Amino acid sequence: MSFYLKEPNIPAQEPERTGILVMNLGTPEAPTAKALRPYLRQFLSDRRVIEIPRLIWWFILNGVILVLRPRQSAHKYATIWDKDGSPLMVNSQKQARLLEGYLHEQVASPYAVELGMRYGRPSVQSAIEKLKAKNCNRILLFPLYPQYAASSSASALDEAMRTLIRTRNMPEIRTIRDYHTHPAYINAVAESIRLYWQQHGKPEKLVMSFHGVPRRTYDLGDPYYDQCQASGKLIAQALDLTEDQYLIAFQSRFGAAEWLQPYFAPSIEALGKQKLRRVDVVCPGFSSDCLETLEEIAMEGKSLFLEAGGSEYHYIPALNDSDTWIKAMRKIALDNLQGWMTLR
């Protein structure tokens, strides 16, 4: 009598791939109070974002913020929402798709690109699961934050690691911490400004506005402020601007605590009071246009400047799906994928 081992019924696997997980902040699914409430709850429950005692914050969040803010924020989101949905979601999806296509021009080995949002959907967890399903045994985590902050870059990486520690067959992991001085990033921002100026002329002052964070984070060792300053100076140098032709400021202050300064709103009002003919504003820390750029900077900033006495205000769009930026994303990714991919 012969005995044969029965072959296990294992489905054929896809070829081993390298995965690239592109991560951004996220967005509510609709510009409504109902959609804003779970989004804000997830965002404002992040310990990287809110660093005050949990018990105190729980009462503030649930007793005040989630009662009042969803309706207020929904009104603001409605002003920037378009037929395709949230600009941040639309732009982030385009970036992921275009990066996948642009990589094909230089990469010969199998790979896959997925988009994951830190808050909302598609989640970081679902994106990792998709990469795993495509047999990605190596994954590069690529947060779309040029400057590192614990409340943005680290939070996105935290979320990826929370999924990975529950993964039995864990892939190899590499992370992009920041790319605030990467020549391809600096060139992409500078080129977007040059192209805008070719079409619309140049201003008397360029304001580079970065998202603000509490001053306390700087005192505790967060490098974000220094990295914003470094990025701004390199962009100014690429544009041949003198020190009096540009200003670095910080937007989106929240709460009563001191945040990084100078604040954007009083800075833009002061420029208006100086009766400047024209001010242009760009947000180099945002890879995609979103609520903070389209409503706070493009709309509110313009009103503040004009009401203070300024004459002409221009918002220069974020990098979005520009060819220079997608090529920069490819360069940044490939610099961090050495040894993992075979180039053509």
Side-chain angles (χ1 to χ4, degrees):
M1 180 181 291
S2 304
F3 293 92
Y4 297 94
L5 291 174
K6 184 179 180 181
E7 291 292 332
N9 186 21
I10 300 176
Q13 283 195 333
E14 302 229 10
E16 287 188 349
R17 287 185 169 92
T18 295
I20 301 168
L21 175 53
V22 176
M23 295 184 283
N24 211 332
L25 180 75
T27 176
E29 296 185 14
T32 64
K34 182 178 179 181
L36 259 295
R37 194 163 286 110
Y39 172 76
L40 288 174
R41 183 186 299 277
Q42 185 185 15
F43 175 47
L44 296 175
S45 296
D46 187 344
R47 291 174 181 266
R48 290 280 198 180
V49 174
I50 305 296
E51 297 186 71
I52 66 177
R54 290 291 94 189
L55 183 59
I56 295 172
W57 180 244
W58 187 93
F59 284 106
I60 296 172
L61 178 62
N62 292 278
V64 180
I65 294 176
L66 293 180
V67 175
L68 301 175
R69 193 165 176 182
R71 188 178 301 277
Q72 298 168 352
S73 295
H75 174 73
K76 292 185 176 184
Y77 272 102
T79 65
I80 60 115
W81 216 263
D82 59 32
K83 61 182 178 60
D84 297 318
S86 162
L88 184 141
M89 178 64 73
V90 172
N91 288 320
S92 298
Q93 289 173 332
K94 286 180 180 178
Q95 289 168 347
R97 288 198 304 269
L98 288 170
L99 175 61
E100 191 166 38
Y102 278 42
L103 281 169
H104 183 71
E105 297 175 0
Q106 296 187 359
V107 175
S109 51
Y111 65 90
V113 178
E114 291 291 343
L115 172 68
M117 295 297 195
R118 174 60 184 90
Y119 314 106
R121 295 187 292 186
S123 67
V124 170
Q125 178 178 336
S126 69
I128 290 176
E129 289 171 352
K130 287 178 182 178
L131 291 173
K132 289 279 291 175
K134 293 177 181 178
N135 204 26
C136 293
N137 63 347
R138 298 176 295 268
I139 297 177
L140 174 67
L141 304 179
F142 190 164
L144 291 179
Y145 304 113
Q147 297 78 27
Y148 172 92
S151 56
S152 55
S153 311
S155 179
L157 297 175
D158 284 349
E159 188 66 11
M161 297 305 175
R162 270 190 285 270
T163 296
L164 291 167
I165 61 175
R166 299 192 300 269
T167 302
R168 178 173 295 277
N169 186 10
M170 186 180 289
E172 291 183 70
I173 296 294
R174 289 183 184 174
T175 63
I176 297 178
R177 182 177 185 268
D178 61 75
Y179 48 91
H180 70 287
T181 59
H182 195 290
Y185 158 69
I186 299 298
N187 177 65
V189 177
E191 184 63 16
S192 72
I193 297 170
R194 286 193 205 98
L195 290 174
Y196 189 89
W197 287 349
Q198 287 173 13
Q199 297 175 9
H200 304 280
K202 294 182 67 173
E204 289 179 81
K205 179 85 75 172
L206 175 67
V207 178
M208 289 183 259
S209 183
F210 294 85
H211 198 288
V213 295
R215 167 60 193 257
R216 177 176 177 272
T217 64
Y218 176 79
D219 296 334
L220 291 173
D222 198 311
Y224 180 72
Y225 174 82
D226 292 332
Q227 291 193 359
C228 291
Q229 295 291 329
S231 296
K233 288 176 182 177
L234 287 173
I235 293 166
Q237 288 173 11
L239 295 169
D240 294 321
L241 298 179
T242 59
E243 288 189 4
D244 64 339
Q245 291 178 311
Y246 74 95
L247 170 70
I248 296 172
F250 297 89
Q251 66 197 65
S252 304
R253 183 186 177 195
F254 173 73
E258 181 185 358
W259 281 42
L260 297 182
Q261 297 192 40
Y263 300 138
F264 172 77
S267 296
I268 207 71
E269 285 182 311
L271 292 175
K273 291 176 181 177
Q274 294 173 23
K275 308 297 183 183
L276 293 187
R277 179 187 60 81
R278 174 175 156 187
V279 164
D280 284 8
V281 182
V282 69
C283 298
F286 294 83
S287 63
S288 301
D289 273 317
C290 56
L291 183 71
E292 285 81 0
T293 64
L294 297 175
E295 196 275 338
E296 181 179 1
I297 300 301
M299 297 180 190
E300 291 185 10
K302 181 177 182 178
S303 295
L304 290 171
F305 180 71
L306 297 180
E307 290 171 5
S311 299
E312 192 175 342
Y313 179 101
H314 290 234
Y315 168 66
I316 300 175
L319 295 169
N320 296 326
D321 61 348
S322 65
D323 179 72
T324 309
W325 170 233
I326 306 303
K327 287 179 178 177
M329 289 179 66
R330 179 178 65 185
K331 174 61 175 169
I332 294 164
L334 289 177
D335 284 353
N336 287 273
L337 288 166
Q338 295 182 37
W340 276 10
M341 284 185 158
T342 302
L343 301 183
R344 295 185 188 279

Short mmCIF file of all heavy atoms in Angstrom, two decimals, residues 10 18 20 64 76 81 86 93 95 125 127 167 172 175-176 183 261 270 281 284 286 294 315 333:
data_model
loop_
_atom_site.label_atom_id
_atom_site.label_comp_id
_atom_site.label_asym_id
_atom_site.label_seq_id
_atom_site.Cartn_x
_atom_site.Cartn_y
_atom_site.Cartn_z
N ILE A 10 -3.71 25.39 -1.59
CA ILE A 10 -3.26 26.78 -1.41
C ILE A 10 -3.39 27.50 -2.75
O ILE A 10 -2.87 27.04 -3.77
CB ILE A 10 -1.79 26.82 -0.95
CG1 ILE A 10 -1.65 26.09 0.39
CG2 ILE A 10 -1.30 28.26 -0.85
CD1 ILE A 10 -0.22 26.00 0.88
N THR A 18 6.86 45.13 -4.18
CA THR A 18 7.17 46.20 -3.23
C THR A 18 5.97 47.13 -3.18
O THR A 18 5.46 47.55 -4.23
CB THR A 18 8.42 46.98 -3.68
OG1 THR A 18 9.56 46.11 -3.65
CG2 THR A 18 8.67 48.17 -2.76
N ILE A 20 4.06 50.70 -1.89
CA ILE A 20 4.26 52.08 -1.46
C ILE A 20 2.93 52.58 -0.91
O ILE A 20 1.92 52.61 -1.62
CB ILE A 20 4.71 52.98 -2.63
CG1 ILE A 20 6.01 52.44 -3.22
CG2 ILE A 20 4.88 54.42 -2.17
CD1 ILE A 20 6.40 53.08 -4.54
N VAL A 64 -18.37 70.06 24.37
CA VAL A 64 -18.36 71.36 23.70
C VAL A 64 -18.07 71.21 22.20
O VAL A 64 -18.89 71.56 21.35
CB VAL A 64 -17.32 72.31 24.34
CG1 VAL A 64 -17.32 73.65 23.63
CG2 VAL A 64 -17.60 72.48 25.83
N LYS A 76 -17.91 75.57 6.38
CA LYS A 76 -16.65 75.90 5.71
C LYS A 76 -16.33 74.87 4.62
O LYS A 76 -15.90 75.24 3.52
CB LYS A 76 -15.52 75.96 6.74
CG LYS A 76 -15.63 77.14 7.70
CD LYS A 76 -14.43 77.22 8.61
CE LYS A 76 -14.50 78.45 9.52
NZ LYS A 76 -13.30 78.60 10.36
N TRP A 81 -16.11 72.36 -1.34
CA TRP A 81 -16.48 71.06 -1.90
C TRP A 81 -16.85 71.23 -3.37
O TRP A 81 -17.52 72.19 -3.75
CB TRP A 81 -17.68 70.50 -1.15
CG TRP A 81 -17.67 69.01 -0.98
CD1 TRP A 81 -18.31 68.09 -1.75
CD2 TRP A 81 -17.02 68.26 0.06
NE1 TRP A 81 -18.10 66.82 -1.27
CE2 TRP A 81 -17.30 66.90 -0.16
CE3 TRP A 81 -16.22 68.62 1.14
CZ2 TRP A 81 -16.82 65.89 0.67
CZ3 TRP A 81 -15.73 67.61 1.96
CH2 TRP A 81 -16.03 66.28 1.73
N SER A 86 -14.32 66.02 -1.91
CA SER A 86 -13.32 66.77 -1.17
C SER A 86 -12.07 66.99 -2.02
O SER A 86 -11.50 66.02 -2.55
CB SER A 86 -12.93 66.00 0.10
OG SER A 86 -11.71 66.45 0.62
N GLN A 93 -5.89 61.04 -4.35
CA GLN A 93 -6.11 59.88 -5.21
C GLN A 93 -5.38 60.03 -6.54
O GLN A 93 -4.78 59.08 -7.04
CB GLN A 93 -7.61 59.69 -5.45
CG GLN A 93 -8.37 59.20 -4.23
CD GLN A 93 -9.88 59.19 -4.43
OE1 GLN A 93 -10.43 59.98 -5.21
NE2 GLN A 93 -10.56 58.30 -3.73
N GLN A 95 -2.67 61.79 -7.03
CA GLN A 95 -1.24 61.66 -6.76
C GLN A 95 -0.83 60.20 -6.68
O GLN A 95 0.21 59.80 -7.23
CB GLN A 95 -0.90 62.39 -5.47
CG GLN A 95 -0.96 63.90 -5.58
CD GLN A 95 -0.89 64.60 -4.24
OE1 GLN A 95 -1.03 63.98 -3.19
NE2 GLN A 95 -0.70 65.91 -4.26
N GLN A 125 -5.19 51.21 7.56
CA GLN A 125 -5.32 49.76 7.72
C GLN A 125 -5.80 49.11 6.43
O GLN A 125 -5.24 48.09 5.99
CB GLN A 125 -6.29 49.42 8.85
CG GLN A 125 -6.50 47.92 9.04
CD GLN A 125 -7.43 47.59 10.19
OE1 GLN A 125 -7.58 48.38 11.11
NE2 GLN A 125 -8.06 46.43 10.14
N ALA A 127 -5.52 50.19 3.41
CA ALA A 127 -4.50 50.30 2.38
C ALA A 127 -3.41 49.24 2.57
O ALA A 127 -2.96 48.62 1.60
CB ALA A 127 -3.88 51.69 2.40
N THR A 167 -0.25 42.03 12.43
CA THR A 167 -0.08 41.25 11.21
C THR A 167 0.83 40.06 11.48
O THR A 167 1.96 40.24 11.94
CB THR A 167 0.52 42.14 10.10
OG1 THR A 167 -0.34 43.25 9.87
CG2 THR A 167 0.69 41.37 8.81
N GLU A 172 8.62 43.70 5.37
CA GLU A 172 9.70 44.63 5.69
C GLU A 172 9.14 46.05 5.56
O GLU A 172 8.30 46.32 4.70
CB GLU A 172 10.88 44.46 4.73
CG GLU A 172 11.64 43.16 4.88
CD GLU A 172 12.82 43.12 3.93
OE1 GLU A 172 13.79 43.89 4.15
OE2 GLU A 172 12.77 42.36 2.96
N THR A 175 10.42 53.78 6.24
CA THR A 175 9.60 54.98 6.44
C THR A 175 10.32 56.21 5.90
O THR A 175 11.55 56.32 5.99
CB THR A 175 9.28 55.20 7.93
OG1 THR A 175 10.51 55.44 8.64
CG2 THR A 175 8.59 53.99 8.54
N ILE A 176 9.53 57.12 5.35
CA ILE A 176 10.04 58.44 4.98
C ILE A 176 9.66 59.38 6.10
O ILE A 176 8.48 59.66 6.31
CB ILE A 176 9.46 58.91 3.63
CG1 ILE A 176 9.89 57.96 2.51
CG2 ILE A 176 9.92 60.34 3.33
CD1 ILE A 176 9.32 58.33 1.14
N PRO A 183 15.92 68.25 -2.78
CA PRO A 183 15.96 69.14 -3.95
C PRO A 183 14.74 69.01 -4.86
O PRO A 183 14.29 70.02 -5.43
CB PRO A 183 17.25 68.72 -4.66
CG PRO A 183 18.11 68.15 -3.59
CD PRO A 183 17.16 67.46 -2.64
N GLN A 261 5.01 81.16 15.89
CA GLN A 261 4.78 82.50 15.35
C GLN A 261 5.82 82.83 14.29
O GLN A 261 6.87 82.20 14.24
CB GLN A 261 4.83 83.52 16.50
CG GLN A 261 3.74 83.31 17.53
CD GLN A 261 3.61 84.47 18.49
OE1 GLN A 261 3.71 85.64 18.10
NE2 GLN A 261 3.38 84.17 19.77
N ALA A 270 -1.29 93.04 8.81
CA ALA A 270 -0.23 94.05 8.88
C ALA A 270 0.26 94.43 7.49
O ALA A 270 0.52 95.61 7.20
CB ALA A 270 0.92 93.53 9.73
N VAL A 281 0.30 84.33 -1.58
CA VAL A 281 0.45 83.38 -0.48
C VAL A 281 0.54 81.97 -1.04
O VAL A 281 -0.25 81.60 -1.93
CB VAL A 281 -0.72 83.47 0.51
CG1 VAL A 281 -0.49 82.51 1.68
CG2 VAL A 281 -0.88 84.90 1.02
N PRO A 284 3.63 75.76 1.37
CA PRO A 284 4.54 74.69 0.97
C PRO A 284 4.41 73.40 1.79
O PRO A 284 4.94 72.36 1.37
CB PRO A 284 5.93 75.32 1.19
CG PRO A 284 5.67 76.78 1.27
CD PRO A 284 4.33 76.92 1.89
N PHE A 286 1.67 71.80 2.39
CA PHE A 286 0.50 71.04 1.94
C PHE A 286 0.76 70.52 0.53
O PHE A 286 0.94 71.30 -0.40
CB PHE A 286 -0.75 71.92 1.93
CG PHE A 286 -1.20 72.37 3.29
CD1 PHE A 286 -0.62 73.46 3.91
CD2 PHE A 286 -2.21 71.68 3.96
CE1 PHE A 286 -1.04 73.88 5.17
CE2 PHE A 286 -2.63 72.09 5.22
CZ PHE A 286 -2.05 73.18 5.82
N LEU A 294 -7.76 76.32 0.88
CA LEU A 294 -8.79 76.91 0.03
C LEU A 294 -9.75 77.83 0.76
O LEU A 294 -10.23 78.81 0.20
CB LEU A 294 -9.59 75.80 -0.67
CG LEU A 294 -8.77 74.91 -1.61
CD1 LEU A 294 -9.63 73.77 -2.14
CD2 LEU A 294 -8.20 75.73 -2.77
N TYR A 315 -3.74 83.66 -4.04
CA TYR A 315 -3.34 82.39 -3.44
C TYR A 315 -2.78 81.51 -4.56
O TYR A 315 -3.45 81.29 -5.59
CB TYR A 315 -4.52 81.69 -2.77
CG TYR A 315 -4.19 80.24 -2.43
CD1 TYR A 315 -3.21 79.96 -1.47
CD2 TYR A 315 -4.79 79.18 -3.10
CE1 TYR A 315 -2.86 78.65 -1.19
CE2 TYR A 315 -4.45 77.87 -2.81
CZ TYR A 315 -3.47 77.61 -1.86
OH TYR A 315 -3.12 76.31 -1.58
N ALA A 333 10.53 58.77 -3.48
CA ALA A 333 10.25 57.35 -3.25
C ALA A 333 11.45 56.49 -3.65
O ALA A 333 11.89 55.62 -2.88
CB ALA A 333 9.00 56.93 -4.00
#
